[in-house]
Structures are given as structure tokens and as C-alpha cells.
Amino acid sequence: MTDQADWRHKLAERFTTPTARVLSKTGVTPNTLTVMGFLVSVAAGFLIATEYFLAGGLVVLFAGAFDLLDGPVARATGKTTKFGGFLDSTLDRLSEAAVLAGILAYYAFNDGTWESLLAFGCFVGSVMVSYLRARAEALGVKCEVGIFTRVERVIVMSIGLMFGQWFDLAIPIMLGIVTALAFVTVLQRLIHVQRTEKS
């Protein structure tokens, strides 16, 4: 599990470090990137709610880029702060909520009852993945394990939304995948914390 988390970090660093170095010279702050990512996610939610799925999926992907860059820019500029991490975690949850609220609103206004419930389940699973990490780390347990973290959720959501422009079942299938794998990750993190406590 730890190897998987390390692999994710190394892959992310390979893609984000060069861009972060450029951005660090422009004077943009990490917190600005964090807030911009949230605002872009809100725009994505609006596009999705109004049935612009292709544009919404692309904008979700674009918003995810801000989330990947704020941390590396903080490190590159020496502006890593506890509040920055706190703000990032808070707005990450609100960003996911904005996107899923857009999906839920679309189906709610188009009589998609079970799809709306699936969107809600997806939100619960996504929040729980992050909540368990926060609670574990508050107990002194590093908890980045799991097969489906925020990066994977953003990628799958983006793909599902883009295909949803042409295929009606693409978004429900995406929601089902994200929900199922989010709860698998929740289980993995529960097991990880239990085993760490016993060791």
C-alpha cells in the first residue's frame, strides 16, 4: 500500500515539478491556486447541471490541475503552511461537492431518481476516503493507502462526463465505479489503521 502511495507521489512530481518551478517565478501563491481550482470546479458543476457534459468533464480535469500544482508551488516557493494544507483539504471537498451537485441537479431536474441517489452515494464515498485519512493522521497514523484517491476520482469523473455527452449511461456507470471503488478504499483505510494500531 505504501509503495502505491509513493508511486503516486513520484509520478505526480514528474509532471508537476517543472510547471511548479515556472509558476513560482510568477508570484502566484499556492493559496491562490487552491481557490482558483475551487472556482473552476464550481463552474464545472454549473456546466454539468445545464447538460454541457463534455465541457464540464474538461473543466473538471482543468480544475484537477490546480489541485496537483498548489502543493508543489508551495514547496518551490517555501510557502508551505499549516493553513495552506487546511485550506487545500477544505476546498478539495467543496470542489468535489460542486461537481457532484451539478450531476445531482441535472438528474433531479430530469426525473433521474436513482441516478441522483447514486450521485449522493458517490459524494459520501469520496468524502469518507478523505475523512478517514484526516482522522487517521490526527491519531498519528499515516494513511495514504487505497486504490482510489482524489486523483483517480477526478480522472474517472472527467472521462465519464465527457462520454456522457454522447452516451446516456456513461455518467451513471462512472458514478457507480467511483462509488464502489471509493468504498473499497474506505475499507482499505479502516483495515490499515487497525493493523497499524496492533503493530
Side-chain angles (χ1 to χ4, degrees), residues 11 25 30-31 38 47 53 70 79 119 121-122 131 140-141 166 178:
L11 186 63
K25 296 175 182 177
N31 289 348
F38 166 66
L47 288 169
F53 300 136
D70 52 8
K79 294 181 178 178
C122 187
Y131 174 75
V141 179
W166 301 285
V178 174

Side-chain angles (χ1 to χ4, degrees), residues 134-142 196:
R135 287 296 299 139
E137 292 182 353
L139 297 172
V141 179
K142 189 173 182 180
T196 302

Side-chain angles (χ1 to χ4, degrees), residues 38 51 61 68 102 117 185 194:
F38 166 66
E51 207 173 342
L61 207 56
L68 285 174
L117 291 172
T185 305
Q194 182 191 36

Side-chain angles (χ1 to χ4, degrees), residues 40-71:
V40 173
S41 293
V42 171
F46 177 78
L47 288 169
I48 295 162
T50 51
E51 207 173 342
Y52 291 99
F53 300 136
L54 176 59
L58 290 170
V59 174
V60 167
L61 207 56
F62 182 54
F66 286 95
D67 184 44
L68 285 174
L69 287 167
D70 52 8

Side-chain angles (χ1 to χ4, degrees), residues 153-176:
R153 293 197 301 272
V154 168
I155 292 170
V156 173
M157 281 186 188
S158 300
I159 293 171
L161 286 164
M162 286 187 279
F163 276 99
Q165 189 70 47
W166 301 285
F167 305 106
D168 291 340
L169 287 176
I171 296 176
I173 289 171
M174 172 272 289
L175 290 171

Side-chain angles (χ1 to χ4, degrees), residues 53-167:
F53 300 136
L54 176 59
L58 290 170
V59 174
V60 167
L61 207 56
F62 182 54
F66 286 95
D67 184 44
L68 285 174
L69 287 167
D70 52 8
V73 169
R75 290 188 289 274
T77 57
K79 294 181 178 178
T80 303
T81 64
K82 290 182 179 179
F83 175 74
F86 180 75
L87 179 67
D88 182 42
S89 296
T90 301
L91 293 187
D92 278 354
R93 305 294 76 75
L94 290 174
S95 294
E96 285 193 271
V99 172
L100 289 165
I103 296 173
L104 194 154
Y106 168 75
Y107 284 117
F109 286 115
N110 288 278
D111 298 322
T113 304
W114 70 271
E115 292 94 341
S116 297
L117 291 172
L118 196 54
F120 175 73
C122 187
F123 172 70
V124 172
S126 298
V127 169
M128 284 303 299
V129 170
S130 302
Y131 174 75
L132 287 182
R133 176 180 174 180
R135 287 296 299 139
E137 292 182 353
L139 297 172
V141 179
K142 189 173 182 180
C143 191
E144 295 183 341
V145 302
I147 61 171
F148 216 64
T149 62
R150 177 163 162 74
V151 173
E152 289 85 2
R153 293 197 301 272
V154 168
I155 292 170
V156 173
M157 281 186 188
S158 300
I159 293 171
L161 286 164
M162 286 187 279
F163 276 99
Q165 189 70 47
W166 301 285
F167 305 106

